[in-house]
Amino acid sequence: MATLTHDSAIRMRSGLLLALASATSFGLSGPLARGLMNAGWSAAAVVAARVLLAGAVLVPLALPHLRGNWKLLRTNANLIVAYGLVAVAGTQLAYFNAVAHMEVGAALLIEYTAPIVVVGWLWVRHRQQPGAATIAGAVLGITGLLLVLDVTSGLSTDPIGIAWALAAMLGAAAYFVLSAQGGDLPGTVLACGGLLIGGLTLILAGALGIVPLHATTHRVAFADFTTPWWIPILVIGIVTAAIAYVTGIAATRRLGSRLASFVALTEVLAALIFAWILLAEAPRPIQLLGGALILIGVVSVRLGEPTAPALGDPETPADTPTELPRTRTEQGS
């Protein structure tokens, strides 16, 4: 029993570190995407380039983890396709389109109500009724988001932007729910397959004229510097997609979709920091206070989680290790 408790503690710590790494990586995508779109890229082109590059980077990692067991792909085909179409392509495309029609803060606020959707889904679908600590954490987290996004400064009421942001919120909730499933499928394989499917779907949609798909080779301007277009593309593909999705899947399988979705709220803080560095958008004191409330909310949700996963619960962390490359961080844990 002592060994099991120790292993659970290690799993929880590694899950939290992976979730924070994923949130930080995702947080960099917004400022980079804004720079590319300002340089003439369409939202669909940014997403397609991002996810296809990430999928290609993950292929040499996913194949050894698959170990020639192609049956895993067949048995998890529905999960991989749903992950690629909804969690990858759909969510990113919806978010970038929302940003094109409304303030970034407003779009983020709507998208990051996703944890509440996850809690509701687990309650209705799997009878996982949230406890008082989880509810309190949700209230603190959403309050923190309101402060971080400084909604009192004025929000856009563009109905098209709101519709896209709501679609992004549903996609983000699906990301956490789907990431917790397919415990027998290596996380790198799920991420790689989903990214490739999502990217190819966007390329096809662009070719058919369903979404605008255009890019430029203009230099990309940020706050204090300009850079060739391919540098932010490499970063947005490798760091904010390949690393972000793999660590996100690993974290969700360790923490469960509910806790992982609340830890992901820290992505907003990361986005603020990167926007400060790259776009000269300095956070205000009220936003720093909101950040503190988000962290307190995450801790509250963690305290409200069961000490051990319920047997057979499809949304709790699996006991099998996540198939991530052995990084220094993992080896140290």
Side-chain angles (χ1 to χ4, degrees):
M1 181 62 69
T3 301
L4 179 61
T5 302
H6 178 66
D7 291 343
S8 298
I10 293 177
R11 187 180 184 82
M12 180 62 66
R13 285 198 298 270
S14 64
L16 289 172
L17 289 174
L18 288 166
L20 290 172
S22 178
T24 302
S25 300
F26 275 128
L28 179 58
S29 65
L32 290 177
R34 171 59 67 82
L36 286 164
M37 288 189 287
N38 288 343
W41 287 63
S42 67
V46 174
V47 176
R50 179 190 183 199
V51 299
L52 285 176
L53 175 59
V57 168
L58 289 179
V59 167
L61 298 176
L63 288 178
H65 289 158
L66 192 59
R67 298 173 182 174
N69 187 2
W70 302 105
K71 183 180 178 181
L72 273 178
L73 294 181
R74 292 193 297 271
T75 57
N76 291 281
N78 290 339
L79 172 62
I80 296 173
V81 171
Y83 190 86
L85 296 181
V86 180
V88 175
T91 304
Q92 293 184 51
L93 185 60
Y95 171 66
F96 289 145
N97 274 301
V99 169
H101 289 87
M102 63 193 303
E103 291 89 341
V104 173
L108 276 174
L109 172 61
I110 295 174
E111 181 181 0
Y112 278 91
T113 56
I116 297 178
V117 178
V118 173
V119 170
W121 167 259
L122 296 180
W123 190 354
V124 173
R125 181 66 175 82
H126 300 293
R127 299 296 185 269
Q128 292 186 15
Q129 183 174 352
T134 298
I135 294 175
V139 172
L140 287 171
I142 298 304
T143 302
L145 278 176
L146 291 172
L147 297 180
V148 166
L149 301 174
D150 197 9
V151 296
T152 58
S153 62
L155 292 176
S156 169
T157 56
D158 187 328
I160 297 177
I162 292 174
W164 279 116
L166 288 172
M169 177 265 291
L170 294 175
Y175 161 78
F176 293 109
V177 173
L178 292 173
S179 293
Q181 298 178 12
D184 60 334
L185 185 69
T188 49
V189 176
L190 175 58
C192 179
L195 288 164
L196 291 176
I197 288 174
L200 292 174
T201 300
L202 285 173
I203 294 294
L204 177 61
L208 295 176
I210 298 174
V211 296
L213 196 67
H214 53 82
T216 72
T217 57
H218 299 159
R219 292 182 67 85
V220 180
F222 293 103
D224 298 317
F225 64 95
T226 61
T227 181
W229 64 271
W230 54 268
I231 293 180
I233 284 294
L234 285 178
V235 176
I236 205 172
I238 297 173
V239 177
T240 78
I243 293 176
Y245 277 101
V246 172
T247 53
I249 292 171
T252 303
R253 291 181 175 180
R254 284 167 165 81
L255 304 176
S257 53
R258 178 165 57 194
L259 178 56
S261 68
F262 277 92
V263 178
L265 293 177
T266 56
E267 180 184 336
V268 179
L269 300 179
L272 280 176
I273 293 173
F274 289 126
W276 186 5
I277 296 172
L278 296 177
L279 305 176
E281 298 177 357
R284 293 172 289 280
I286 192 172
Q287 293 177 304
L288 298 178
L289 174 60
L293 289 180
I294 289 175
L295 296 178
I296 295 172
V298 169
V299 172
S300 179
V301 173
R302 167 66 190 99
L303 295 176
E305 288 292 290
T307 55
L311 185 60
D313 185 349
E315 298 297 341
T316 51
D319 290 331
T320 56
T322 305
E323 296 77 2
L324 266 176
R326 295 286 294 174
T327 62
R328 292 181 180 178
T329 301
E330 283 191 291
Q331 292 170 352
S333 63

